[in-house]
Amino acid sequence: MRFKCVSKLWLCTIEDPNFVAMHLKHSTLGGTNWYILLTDWYFSRDQRSSLYPQKSLTLASQSEIEVPFISPKGYYGVVGSCNGLICFAETNAEDRIQRIFLWNLFTRKHKAILSSLPDYPFVDMYAAHMVLGFGYSDRIDDYKVVRITYFPDKYGRYLGEIDPKVDVYSLCTNLWQTVEFNFKCELSHFSRVSFNGNLHWLSMGVDEDRRRSFRSIITFGIAGEVFNEMALPKNCFIGITYNRAYLAELNSSLALLINLRDLIGRSYEKCYIWVMTKYGMPDSWTKLHTLDLNEGVSRFHGFTRSGELLMQTYQHELISWDPSVGLTRLLRKLGRFDLVTMVESLVFP
C-alpha cells in the first residue's frame, strides 16, 4: 500500500477494479497471504487487534492493528470475513441504531452501515434475538449482510406467534431490503459460514418434549436472495445426551462439527467432524474424524488453511487440533475473543 503515494498513476492502477480482482486471485492461491485476526475484547481496551500468520498463533503477533471504529462503550462481535473484508457488528445498540462495519485492515479503509433496528408493536426490542451473516457472490460481484430478527411472543417464545423479520444489505446498492423467510425454525448465531455463494446456518426447533434440537442447515443464496434447506447427516445426533454443533469450511468443503458431552458420571467430551464431499448432496456427508477433547470445548473457531482446528476452552484458552498427528496443543490464554481467517486483499468497502 505504500506505493499508492508514489504517483497518481500508481494510485489509479492499485485502485482499479481489474487490478484488485487480479491481486485477490493471486493472494488466495498463495499460502503466505492468509492470516488470522485475533481480537481479545476483554483485554483490548485500546481497541487493537493482533494479526498472525496462518501457520503460527504461538509466536508473537506480526502486527498490532488499531480498529478505528470501535468505541470503548460498545459491545462488538465479528460476523465473518470474505475476500479480506471483515464484518463487525455492534450488539448493544442502546439508541436503536445498529452499527455494522466492513473493514479492510490492509487498505486501512472501512465503511459504516447504520440501520434502525426492526420494530414490532408491543414487543420489547431488548428481548429480541438477532442472527447475522456476511457473504459474497461472484455471480453478481456483491457483498451482503443478512440480519434475521426473532421477536418473543406474549409467552416469551421466539418460534411462537410472531414471524421473524429478515433484512438484507447490499454493498453495491448501499440499501437494505426485506426478504421472505418461510421456515419455522430458529437459526444458531454460533454457527454461520459463507461458502459457495451461499450463507449457511444450523437451524433449531422444539420437539414434542419442548427440547431444542438441531434440524437442518438453512442456506441463503446471496445472488438470488432466497432461503433453502439442506439435510444434516442421517442419525448424526442420535444417542447424544448434550451437544453443540457448528459449521465450518474444510479444504473447500462444507464441514459439520458436533461437540458431545456426557453429563452422566464423569464428564468427557468428543467431537465428530463430518464433511459434505459433494456440495448440495446430503448423501455425500462423510464422518472424517473423531476427537477426544478432555479440555472441555466451549466454542469452535473453524479450520486454518492447513486443516488445523481452532477451539476455545471453558477456561478461555485457545487450543488447536492437528489432524496429521491427532494431538491438541495450547496456543494461548485469552479473555473474550473473536478469531477470523482472512486473506490479504485490496477490496474496498
Side-chain angles (χ1 to χ4, degrees):
M1 295 306 298
R2 61 184 180 273
F3 297 116
K4 293 175 66 175
C5 301
V6 173
S7 69
K8 291 183 179 180
L9 177 60
W10 285 34
L11 173 63
C12 292
T13 300
I14 292 173
E15 295 186 348
D16 180 82
N18 293 326
F19 182 84
V20 171
M22 181 178 64
H23 176 270
L24 177 62
K25 183 178 180 180
H26 174 77
S27 290
T28 54
L29 296 176
T32 59
N33 298 318
W34 288 87
Y35 299 89
I36 293 175
L37 186 72
L38 188 152
T39 303
D40 190 337
W41 299 108
Y42 184 78
F43 292 107
S44 296
R45 296 305 180 188
D46 56 351
Q47 289 80 56
R48 290 183 178 273
S49 293
S50 303
L51 188 67
Y52 294 87
Q54 269 274 343
K55 293 184 178 180
S56 184
L57 275 163
T58 58
L59 302 177
S61 65
Q62 182 166 315
S63 59
E64 297 292 320
I65 301 173
E66 181 179 1
V67 185
F69 45 80
I70 287 181
S71 164
K73 297 181 180 180
Y75 193 87
Y76 301 84
V78 174
V79 180
S81 173
C82 290
N83 297 340
L85 280 186
I86 309 171
C87 181
F88 287 83
E90 186 181 32
T91 57
N92 65 335
E94 297 181 355
D95 54 2
R96 299 189 54 76
I97 301 295
Q98 185 178 37
R99 294 161 180 84
I100 298 173
F101 301 93
L102 301 182
W103 181 42
N104 187 326
L105 63 87
F106 299 102
T107 64
R108 300 297 195 270
K109 292 186 177 181
H110 72 274
K111 177 181 178 63
I113 306 168
L114 304 183
S115 172
S116 299
L117 289 175
D119 203 354
Y120 197 89
F122 311 111
V123 172
D124 180 8
M125 271 308 301
Y126 290 105
H129 169 56
M130 284 186 292
V131 176
L132 296 170
F134 174 62
Y136 170 77
S137 171
D138 56 4
R139 280 177 51 195
I140 57 174
D141 190 23
D142 194 8
Y143 298 83
K144 293 185 179 180
V145 178
V146 178
R147 180 179 62 202
I148 305 161
T149 308
Y150 294 91
F151 305 96
D153 62 13
K154 59 183 178 182
Y155 302 105
R157 301 174 303 182
Y158 287 97
L159 295 176
E161 302 171 355
I162 306 176
D163 293 329
K165 184 176 185 293
V166 179
D167 300 295
V168 178
Y169 171 82
S170 165
L171 183 60
C172 281
T173 64
N174 195 32
L175 295 173
W176 287 90
Q177 64 177 4
T178 302
V179 301
E180 291 186 0
F181 183 77
N182 299 318
F183 294 93
K184 199 69 174 178
C185 64
E186 186 177 355
L187 304 187
S188 171
H189 68 278
F190 287 110
S191 181
R192 51 190 171 228
V193 171
S194 176
F195 176 72
N196 205 37
N198 296 315
L199 283 167
H200 305 74
W201 298 268
L202 284 168
S203 72
M204 298 175 292
V206 180
D207 60 20
E208 296 178 353
D209 298 325
R210 305 301 300 171
R211 293 180 302 185
R212 292 163 64 86
S213 60
F214 294 104
R215 290 186 173 180
S216 63
I217 297 172
I218 298 297
T219 67
F220 176 78
I222 297 169
E225 297 189 348
V226 175
F227 286 93
N228 284 295
E229 192 171 20
M230 186 183 296
L232 291 167
K234 293 180 180 179
N235 304 326
C236 64
F237 290 109
I238 288 181
I240 297 173
T241 305
Y242 174 83
N243 64 78
R244 291 180 180 177
Y246 300 80
L247 294 173
E249 181 182 349
L250 173 60
N251 298 329
S252 300
S253 294
L254 186 65
L256 170 68
L257 309 170
I258 302 177
N259 186 204
L260 319 184
R261 186 176 185 185
D262 188 354
L263 299 182
I264 301 175
R266 184 175 179 178
S267 176
Y268 70 93
E269 297 211 10
K270 285 185 179 292
C271 172
Y272 296 149
I273 301 177
W274 293 76
V275 171
M276 180 179 276
T277 57
K278 296 181 180 178
Y279 182 75
M281 300 181 64
D283 291 340
S284 70
W285 281 112
T286 303
K287 188 188 291 186
L288 199 62
H289 298 290
T290 299
L291 287 66
D292 290 312
L293 301 172
N294 297 322
E295 293 86 354
V297 173
S298 62
R299 183 181 175 187
F300 290 92
H301 289 278
F303 295 91
T304 65
R305 297 281 292 179
S306 61
E308 213 171 340
L309 177 60
L310 301 176
M311 299 166 282
Q312 177 179 337
T313 70
Y314 291 103
Q315 290 74 38
H316 300 288
E317 296 170 332
L318 178 61
I319 63 174
S320 69
W321 177 78
D322 187 344
S324 62
V325 294
L327 297 175
T328 59
R329 59 175 177 149
L330 174 64
L331 300 179
R332 57 185 63 245
K333 191 173 180 64
L334 300 159
R336 185 183 74 88
F337 65 91
D338 273 320
L339 276 183
V340 62
T341 298
M342 55 184 302
V343 65
E344 182 179 344
S345 83
L346 302 174
V347 175
F348 298 114

